[in-house]
Amino acid sequence: APTVSSPHDLARPRSLVIGVTGGIATGKSTVLRELERLGAVTFSADAIARRVSQSDGPAFAPIVEAFGESALLPNGELDRAALADRIFTDEAAKATLEGIIHPLVMNELQQEIEAFRAAPPNQPPVAAVEIPLLYEVGAETLVDGVLVVASEPERQVARLKLRSHWPDARIRAALLAQLPLSDKIARADWVLRTDGDLADTLHQTEALWLRITQRFQEDNSCR
């Protein structure tokens, strides 16, 4: 049976911007790609973060100034793996890096969302925005509703081991570093659980999409 739940479906909007968030390794990007395939315009905070921190991006010089030449690869780009290792064990370094990148990412996301709302290019006019730290940075104010992608901790651990090859201690620390999933679920407009296989996740995403687009069809039929 589908396990998409909706604590409080939203009223019919003219357009809808969904914030997609959840825990690490819960399948957020998979859900975002499927929403895009189904017809949503999609944005990604992580993609913007990578873009603004490239050598020609606005975050690059401040990061190098803060972390020094040791933060660079031989080709002059940021050594993202080394930076990730450092901020994992150094809270001050993490705060410094986030202080540089997060405002730039949120500003660009806001501009993209405002442009979408002003002239949605798709019908139905739905956008999905993947923001892993949505609640942590207060980004729920940018979106109309929040979809939390969730799974049991055991599934998160298994996925992290498969994709990152991190040691168990680092995986446990990564899970503990985020706002508990239970807190995110309590604040969500929709919850999609990804404890099953890929086909189940895609099925649930389509069910959610149909629920959302039905609202627009009902709205149009009343005009």
Side-chain angles (χ1 to χ4, degrees):
T3 54
V4 176
S5 61
S6 176
H8 43 94
D9 267 334
L10 305 174
R12 295 177 197 156
R14 292 184 178 273
S15 64
L16 184 66
V17 178
I18 302 169
V20 180
T21 193
I24 189 170
T26 55
K28 300 180 296 297
S29 296
T30 298
V31 170
L32 190 78
R33 286 193 298 269
E34 180 65 1
L35 288 171
E36 182 175 41
R37 188 191 71 80
L38 292 165
V41 171
T42 60
F43 308 108
S44 166
D46 282 349
I48 295 173
R50 286 192 294 272
R51 189 162 65 245
V52 301
S53 58
Q54 288 175 345
S55 57
D56 58 349
F60 182 81
I63 291 172
V64 175
E65 183 178 353
F67 292 92
E69 297 292 324
S70 63
L72 297 177
L73 292 166
N75 65 2
E77 293 288 346
L78 287 178
D79 188 339
R80 299 179 189 276
L83 276 174
D85 286 341
R86 179 165 176 184
I87 67 172
F88 184 76
T89 57
D90 185 337
E91 284 296 324
K94 179 181 178 184
T96 297
L97 186 63
E98 290 179 345
I100 295 168
I101 291 180
H102 284 178
L104 293 168
V105 171
M106 289 302 106
N107 181 62
E108 188 163 331
L109 271 181
Q110 184 171 1
Q111 291 180 28
E112 290 181 342
I113 290 169
E114 288 175 354
F116 168 81
R117 287 192 172 118
N122 57 331
Q123 287 296 329
V126 178
V129 189
E130 183 184 8
I131 311 175
L133 299 179
L134 182 144
Y135 288 119
E136 290 87 338
V137 300
E140 65 267 36
T141 58
L142 296 180
V143 301
D144 301 313
V146 176
L147 167 63
V148 168
V149 182
S151 61
E152 292 299 324
E154 295 79 11
R155 293 287 289 166
Q156 291 176 267
V157 169
R159 290 169 182 150
L160 276 174
K161 284 185 175 181
L162 187 63
R163 81 182 193 195
S164 70
H165 308 293
W166 288 348
D168 290 349
R170 180 160 182 174
I171 289 175
R172 287 193 298 271
L175 294 176
L176 291 172
Q178 295 190 326
L179 188 69
L181 263 175
S182 57
D183 290 0
K184 296 183 180 185
I185 289 169
R187 298 167 65 178
D189 296 287
W190 304 279
V191 179
L192 194 157
R193 300 206 63 92
T194 59
D195 296 306
D197 59 15
L198 176 61
D200 181 59
T201 295
L202 299 181
H203 174 68
Q204 291 183 67
T205 306
E206 184 172 9
L208 175 64
W209 176 257
L210 291 173
R211 179 187 302 164
I212 291 168
T213 55
Q214 180 67 30
R215 187 181 316 153
F216 286 100
Q217 292 165 4
E218 290 170 354
D219 194 28
N220 291 335
S221 69
C222 294
R223 292 178 181 173

